Amino acid sequence: FNMVVERIKEYFKMNIKATRFNWYKDTSQWKPFHHDAAAVKPHIAKKQNWTVAVSFGTERDAAFEHVKSKTVISIPQSNGSLYAFGNKVNIEWKHGIPQLPPEKQKNEGRISIICWGWVNMD
């Protein structure tokens, strides 16, 4: 965990303010569409403008739903994949890990490591 967080910090030149370790025991677990706190809490937005997520284990989609149009785009997250987004994406899009129908669920797990913080956008 600490090695992954440190690599994210170095690669993105990111001042990391918060982290999360998510363990999904199998593919029946999912995360509904949501905004990160910086989109809805001004005091958080002052110190967090960047989100990074790294996925280890079975492949799942990271999906983004546009707040106004409800358009959904999905990005497959294979083992070792990373995605990142800034504050404008966090405001205009919700994100999550979609629920799979029972017939597509597997007894395979996944870990995601999330970092929130500040990246200079110059």
Side-chain angles (χ1 to χ4, degrees):
F1 175 83
N2 290 331
M3 185 223 24
V4 171
V5 170
E6 189 61 30
R7 296 274 308 265
I8 290 168
K9 176 182 172 184
E10 290 172 11
Y11 184 84
F12 289 103
K13 297 176 179 57
M14 183 176 182
N15 184 355
I16 296 175
K17 301 293 186 176
T19 60
R20 178 167 296 151
F21 179 95
N22 296 306
W23 176 51
Y24 298 89
K25 65 178 181 146
D26 59 37
T27 61
S28 71
Q29 297 184 308
W30 58 287
K31 180 78 173 168
F33 286 121
H34 64 283
H35 294 286
D36 289 339
V40 294
K41 297 179 180 178
H43 71 285
I44 302 290
K46 289 179 183 177
K47 60 183 180 177
Q48 293 179 8
N49 70 345
W50 194 246
T51 299
V52 179
V54 184
S55 184
F56 299 102
T58 196
E59 183 173 301
R60 291 296 299 271
D61 283 352
F64 290 78
E65 178 187 62
H66 193 267
V67 172
K68 291 181 182 173
S69 71
K70 303 300 182 199
T71 298
V72 174
I73 58 170
S74 294
I75 306 165
Q77 297 297 297
S78 59
N79 184 37
S81 294
L82 177 147
Y83 66 95
F85 55 90
N87 59 340
K88 289 184 181 180
V89 170
N90 190 31
I91 292 167
E92 295 180 17
W93 296 79
K94 292 181 177 182
H95 61 282
I97 305 298
Q99 187 174 22
L100 293 177
E103 65 274 9
K104 291 192 175 185
Q105 294 176 10
K106 300 176 189 173
N107 191 22
E108 297 175 1
R110 184 177 80 91
I111 290 170
S112 72
I113 297 174
I114 314 295
C115 296
W116 297 279
W118 191 267
V119 171
N120 288 329
M121 300 285 183
D122 297 339

